[in-house]
mmCIF file of all heavy atoms in Angstrom:
data_model
loop_
_atom_site.group_PDB
_atom_site.id
_atom_site.type_symbol
_atom_site.label_atom_id
_atom_site.label_comp_id
_atom_site.label_asym_id
_atom_site.label_seq_id
_atom_site.Cartn_x
_atom_site.Cartn_y
_atom_site.Cartn_z
ATOM 1 N N ILE A 160 -74.380 77.311 -104.815
ATOM 2 C CA ILE A 160 -75.453 76.325 -104.675
ATOM 3 C C ILE A 160 -75.160 75.166 -105.614
ATOM 4 O O ILE A 160 -75.101 75.341 -106.836
ATOM 5 C CB ILE A 160 -76.819 76.971 -104.991
ATOM 6 C CG1 ILE A 160 -77.136 78.040 -103.921
ATOM 7 C CG2 ILE A 160 -77.919 75.916 -105.058
ATOM 8 C CD1 ILE A 160 -78.339 78.892 -104.246
ATOM 9 N N MET A 161 -74.928 73.999 -105.034
ATOM 10 C CA MET A 161 -74.694 72.807 -105.843
ATOM 11 C C MET A 161 -76.013 72.369 -106.470
ATOM 12 O O MET A 161 -77.011 72.150 -105.765
ATOM 13 C CB MET A 161 -74.140 71.670 -104.981
ATOM 14 C CG MET A 161 -72.781 71.930 -104.355
ATOM 15 S SD MET A 161 -71.434 72.070 -105.543
ATOM 16 C CE MET A 161 -71.481 70.438 -106.317
ATOM 17 N N SER A 162 -76.020 72.238 -107.795
ATOM 18 C CA SER A 162 -77.221 71.763 -108.481
ATOM 19 C C SER A 162 -77.075 70.305 -108.923
ATOM 20 O O SER A 162 -77.903 69.786 -109.668
ATOM 21 C CB SER A 162 -77.535 72.652 -109.687
ATOM 22 O OG SER A 162 -76.428 72.713 -110.562
ATOM 23 N N VAL A 163 -75.997 69.682 -108.454
ATOM 24 C CA VAL A 163 -75.793 68.236 -108.543
ATOM 25 C C VAL A 163 -75.161 67.814 -107.228
ATOM 26 O O VAL A 163 -74.606 68.644 -106.501
ATOM 27 C CB VAL A 163 -74.865 67.836 -109.714
ATOM 28 C CG1 VAL A 163 -75.456 68.271 -111.058
ATOM 29 C CG2 VAL A 163 -73.472 68.417 -109.531
ATOM 30 N N GLN A 170 -73.309 64.980 -113.956
ATOM 31 C CA GLN A 170 -74.562 64.512 -113.357
ATOM 32 C C GLN A 170 -75.744 65.350 -113.844
ATOM 33 O O GLN A 170 -75.577 66.500 -114.244
ATOM 34 C CB GLN A 170 -74.481 64.607 -111.837
ATOM 35 C CG GLN A 170 -73.434 63.712 -111.208
ATOM 36 C CD GLN A 170 -73.484 63.813 -109.693
ATOM 37 O OE1 GLN A 170 -74.344 63.242 -109.042
ATOM 38 N NE2 GLN A 170 -72.553 64.571 -109.138
ATOM 39 N N PRO A 171 -76.956 64.798 -113.789
ATOM 40 C CA PRO A 171 -78.128 65.567 -114.232
ATOM 41 C C PRO A 171 -78.473 66.686 -113.256
ATOM 42 O O PRO A 171 -78.263 66.578 -112.049
ATOM 43 C CB PRO A 171 -79.242 64.513 -114.287
ATOM 44 C CG PRO A 171 -78.808 63.434 -113.360
ATOM 45 C CD PRO A 171 -77.316 63.407 -113.443
ATOM 46 N N PHE A 172 -79.013 67.749 -113.791
ATOM 47 C CA PHE A 172 -79.414 68.930 -113.027
ATOM 48 C C PHE A 172 -80.550 68.603 -112.062
ATOM 49 O O PHE A 172 -81.511 67.925 -112.428
ATOM 50 C CB PHE A 172 -79.844 70.005 -114.020
ATOM 51 C CG PHE A 172 -80.300 71.283 -113.396
ATOM 52 C CD1 PHE A 172 -79.401 72.116 -112.766
ATOM 53 C CD2 PHE A 172 -81.638 71.661 -113.464
ATOM 54 C CE1 PHE A 172 -79.820 73.314 -112.207
ATOM 55 C CE2 PHE A 172 -82.069 72.851 -112.917
ATOM 56 C CZ PHE A 172 -81.157 73.681 -112.284
ATOM 57 N N ILE A 173 -80.436 69.086 -110.839
ATOM 58 C CA ILE A 173 -81.479 68.888 -109.819
ATOM 59 C C ILE A 173 -82.365 70.129 -109.819
ATOM 60 O O ILE A 173 -81.987 71.188 -109.312
ATOM 61 C CB ILE A 173 -80.856 68.645 -108.428
ATOM 62 C CG1 ILE A 173 -79.991 67.382 -108.449
ATOM 63 C CG2 ILE A 173 -81.956 68.532 -107.363
ATOM 64 C CD1 ILE A 173 -79.192 67.147 -107.175
ATOM 65 N N VAL A 198 -73.775 79.019 -109.130
ATOM 66 C CA VAL A 198 -74.295 77.652 -109.250
ATOM 67 C C VAL A 198 -73.219 76.742 -109.816
ATOM 68 O O VAL A 198 -72.510 77.098 -110.763
ATOM 69 C CB VAL A 198 -75.569 77.601 -110.122
ATOM 70 C CG1 VAL A 198 -75.966 76.157 -110.439
ATOM 71 C CG2 VAL A 198 -76.717 78.306 -109.402
ATOM 72 N N ASP A 199 -73.106 75.582 -109.206
ATOM 73 C CA ASP A 199 -72.122 74.579 -109.608
ATOM 74 C C ASP A 199 -72.846 73.290 -109.959
ATOM 75 O O ASP A 199 -73.461 72.655 -109.102
ATOM 76 C CB ASP A 199 -71.140 74.326 -108.460
ATOM 77 C CG ASP A 199 -70.002 73.385 -108.841
ATOM 78 O OD1 ASP A 199 -69.973 72.910 -109.991
ATOM 79 O OD2 ASP A 199 -69.145 73.124 -107.980
ATOM 80 N N GLY A 200 -72.779 72.913 -111.241
ATOM 81 C CA GLY A 200 -73.350 71.639 -111.655
ATOM 82 C C GLY A 200 -74.316 71.782 -112.808
ATOM 83 O O GLY A 200 -75.361 72.431 -112.670
ATOM 84 N N SER A 201 -73.958 71.242 -113.952
ATOM 85 C CA SER A 201 -74.838 71.188 -115.113
ATOM 86 C C SER A 201 -75.294 72.572 -115.577
ATOM 87 O O SER A 201 -76.448 72.766 -115.928
ATOM 88 C CB SER A 201 -76.054 70.297 -114.816
ATOM 89 O OG SER A 201 -76.682 69.867 -115.993
ATOM 90 N N CYS A 202 -74.365 73.528 -115.576
ATOM 91 C CA CYS A 202 -74.652 74.850 -116.155
ATOM 92 C C CYS A 202 -74.347 74.774 -117.647
ATOM 93 O O CYS A 202 -73.181 74.718 -118.044
ATOM 94 C CB CYS A 202 -73.794 75.931 -115.498
ATOM 95 S SG CYS A 202 -74.165 76.244 -113.770
ATOM 96 N N ASN A 203 -75.389 74.767 -118.457
ATOM 97 C CA ASN A 203 -75.212 74.602 -119.903
ATOM 98 C C ASN A 203 -76.441 75.127 -120.633
ATOM 99 O O ASN A 203 -77.335 75.728 -120.015
ATOM 100 C CB ASN A 203 -74.934 73.129 -120.243
ATOM 101 C CG ASN A 203 -76.003 72.199 -119.686
ATOM 102 O OD1 ASN A 203 -77.201 72.477 -119.810
ATOM 103 N ND2 ASN A 203 -75.596 71.099 -119.062
ATOM 104 N N THR A 206 -79.894 74.604 -119.206
ATOM 105 C CA THR A 206 -80.290 75.168 -117.905
ATOM 106 C C THR A 206 -80.042 76.670 -117.780
ATOM 107 O O THR A 206 -80.538 77.295 -116.842
ATOM 108 C CB THR A 206 -79.524 74.465 -116.765
ATOM 109 O OG1 THR A 206 -78.106 74.660 -116.958
ATOM 110 C CG2 THR A 206 -79.822 72.981 -116.722
ATOM 111 N N LEU A 210 -81.688 79.081 -114.809
ATOM 112 C CA LEU A 210 -80.751 79.507 -113.771
ATOM 113 C C LEU A 210 -80.677 81.030 -113.694
ATOM 114 O O LEU A 210 -80.701 81.610 -112.605
ATOM 115 C CB LEU A 210 -79.360 78.923 -114.036
ATOM 116 C CG LEU A 210 -79.197 77.429 -113.807
ATOM 117 C CD1 LEU A 210 -77.824 76.964 -114.283
ATOM 118 C CD2 LEU A 210 -79.383 77.074 -112.332
ATOM 119 N N ILE A 219 -70.659 78.260 -113.013
ATOM 120 C CA ILE A 219 -69.490 77.388 -113.125
ATOM 121 C C ILE A 219 -69.721 76.486 -114.328
ATOM 122 O O ILE A 219 -70.689 75.726 -114.379
ATOM 123 C CB ILE A 219 -69.282 76.568 -111.835
ATOM 124 C CG1 ILE A 219 -68.966 77.503 -110.668
ATOM 125 C CG2 ILE A 219 -68.156 75.544 -112.026
ATOM 126 C CD1 ILE A 219 -68.879 76.820 -109.321
ATOM 127 N N VAL A 220 -68.860 76.615 -115.313
ATOM 128 C CA VAL A 220 -69.029 75.862 -116.558
ATOM 129 C C VAL A 220 -67.939 74.799 -116.670
ATOM 130 O O VAL A 220 -66.764 75.067 -116.461
ATOM 131 C CB VAL A 220 -69.022 76.796 -117.791
ATOM 132 C CG1 VAL A 220 -70.328 77.554 -117.888
ATOM 133 C CG2 VAL A 220 -67.847 77.774 -117.751
ATOM 134 N N SER A 223 -70.082 69.914 -119.962
ATOM 135 C CA SER A 223 -71.228 70.118 -120.857
ATOM 136 C C SER A 223 -71.400 71.572 -121.256
ATOM 137 O O SER A 223 -71.873 71.864 -122.355
ATOM 138 C CB SER A 223 -72.512 69.602 -120.198
ATOM 139 O OG SER A 223 -72.806 70.339 -119.009
#
Side-chain angles (χ1 to χ4, degrees):
I160 294 171
M161 296 294 299
S162 56
V163 299
Q170 296 183 77
F172 179 70
I173 299 173
V198 170
D199 185 359
S201 199
C202 293
N203 54 45
T206 60
L210 288 173
I219 296 174
V220 285
S223 63

